[in-house]
Every structure is written in C-alpha cells, then in structure tokens.
Amino acid sequence: MDTAFGMIHRLSLKKKIIFWSLVASGLTLVLFSIVSLILVRIKLLQELDNRLVSASFDVGRSISVSSGNLDITPGIEWEEEHHTSAAGTPIFIVLLDVMKYEIRRSVNADGKALPLEMLSYREEQSAVSSGELNGARWRFATTPLQKDGRRYGWIVVGMPFDRIDHILAVLLTMYAILFPISMVFAFLGSYCMANKALLPVQTISSTVRNIRAKNLDQKLAVSESDDEIAHLAITINDLLARLQGSFTTDRKSVV
C-alpha cells in the first residue's frame, strides 16, 4: 500500500489529476451500478410479490363453501395457460388445509416437489418467501383461505425468479459494456481538463525561466479570473518588482 501511494506521490501534477479523476469516475460508476441494480431488484421483487398476492386472491374467489366444505370451481382462473403449462412464466397453485396438507394443486404443479414446509404462513395476512424448485429460485405467496369468518387453510401461489434474473443479467451486461467506454471518455475528459488547467502554469514557468537580472521589469500576464493561478502570477510579479528594486539599490550603492 505504501509503495502504491509512493508511486502516486511521485507522479507529475498532470498525471495525478488524470489518475484521481479516473478513480473518482470509476468509483462513481461502480456505486451507481450497484445501487441501481439493488433498486431495480427491489422494485421487480415488489411487483412480483404484488402479482402473486393478487393471483392468490383471484384463486380465493374461485373457491366457495357448501355445507361447511370447500367447493373448488376450476373456472377460468384454474384453466389459464400460466396455471396449466410449465412453459413461459408459470404460476403454480397449491391449496392447503389448516393442517397444511394438500387439497388441490394446479395442473402445472403436478409432480413438482414444492418446498411447502419452508414457506412462511401467517394467520391473518399474506406472506411472501423464497424457495428452491428443481435447482431454480422461486417466489411464493401464502394467503389465508378464509370464508364466512372461518379459516380453511392457505392458498400457495409460486412463480420463478426468471424474469427478475433476466432483467438484472441484461442490466449487468449493459453496465459491463458501458463501463470501459465511460472510462475511456473519462480519461479523455480528464486529460483535456488537466492540459487546460495546467497551461497557465506552464506559461508562467516558461516566462520565469527566461527572466534574467537584465529584464526583471518583465511581468507575467495576470488573468481576470480570481483563481489560484492569478494569485501565483501576482505573487511572482511582486517578487520580481522587489528583486528589481534591490538590484537598482545595489547599483546605486556601487556607483
């Protein structure tokens, strides 16, 4: 670490400006990428949870009670493609009784070992949790199945993370492509900025290098801007004026 900082310390001012500009740009881009990915994931997860909870309420409306028993009417809700097919973005439905034993499941959930025992169950409101199914990550919503003030069990609705993972992968790929391009532009911008910022310093250095005892009356051009470079030029002009005064006094003393 000390060696690295020592190398940076030995760089010219121009290279230091470029280096630290690149470091600041790179850190900003990385931080932006991380924060944006986290925020997008949170937003997508909220949308997924809302969709699962909404689907569980739709399933609940397809269930009625007859003589104290549940009367499950498949209807259009159970026959929709995302409840009957495992292709695309499927939504699995499982009905559980109060003892968490299965009552019914959607067609596309047949033969699937759903992680029902690992899910969250609440008595009065929906709960969302994640689980693994066939090596893939899934999101599940469990909603209490209540009719006429009596609880009959839970409605479990599950959906894969495929869409979220796909969107995040696309964003990550896009950031990976844009990062080096952005760093190239940052380098060019910092290079031009360093050249422009140090040009007055180079002019002052060149002018001072050519000043001798015979031309101490030569003055540096002072820019109208009230910046550090202007203050440096004024300070050097004041120094030259004092040196010229000293040389003049010495000559008169000799004479």
Side-chain angles (χ1 to χ4, degrees), residues 72-89:
I72 302 173
T73 305
I76 188 172
E77 179 61 34
W78 289 77
E79 295 174 358
E80 291 179 345
E81 184 178 358
H82 52 267
H83 295 316
T84 59
S85 172
T89 307

Side-chain angles (χ1 to χ4, degrees), residues 49-175:
D49 291 346
N50 292 336
R51 182 177 179 184
L52 290 174
V53 173
S54 177
S56 66
F57 285 134
D58 291 339
V59 172
R61 284 192 287 268
S62 70
I63 301 173
S64 58
V65 177
S66 177
S67 301
N69 297 317
L70 293 179
D71 183 14
I72 302 173
T73 305
I76 188 172
E77 179 61 34
W78 289 77
E79 295 174 358
E80 291 179 345
E81 184 178 358
H82 52 267
H83 295 316
T84 59
S85 172
T89 307
I91 300 180
F92 294 173
I93 304 173
V94 179
L95 299 184
L96 305 176
D97 62 16
V98 291
M99 300 300 295
K100 299 179 184 176
Y101 290 113
E102 283 193 30
I103 301 174
R104 182 188 177 97
R105 60 168 53 195
S106 58
V107 175
N108 56 4
D110 286 343
K112 302 291 192 305
L114 302 178
L116 300 176
E117 69 284 351
M118 300 177 60
L119 304 182
S120 299
Y121 297 89
R122 295 179 182 173
E123 299 295 331
E124 302 296 333
Q125 60 182 342
S126 299
V128 291
S129 52
S130 300
E132 189 169 306
L133 178 60
N134 296 333
R137 295 186 306 125
W138 280 62
R139 190 74 166 173
F140 295 92
T142 55
T143 301
L145 177 56
Q146 297 182 350
K147 296 291 181 180
D148 302 326
R150 176 184 172 186
R151 184 165 57 82
Y152 288 86
W154 284 273
I155 302 171
V156 179
V157 180
M159 192 175 177
F161 273 88
D162 290 355
R163 178 172 174 269
I164 294 179
D165 290 340
H166 174 71
I167 293 176
L168 293 179
V170 170
L171 283 176
L172 189 59
T173 301
M174 183 179 68
Y175 290 157

Side-chain angles (χ1 to χ4, degrees), residues 200 220-231 233-234:
L220 300 177
V222 179
S223 63
E224 295 180 357
S225 60
D226 187 25
D227 57 13
E228 290 79 0
I229 304 299
H231 291 170
I234 293 172

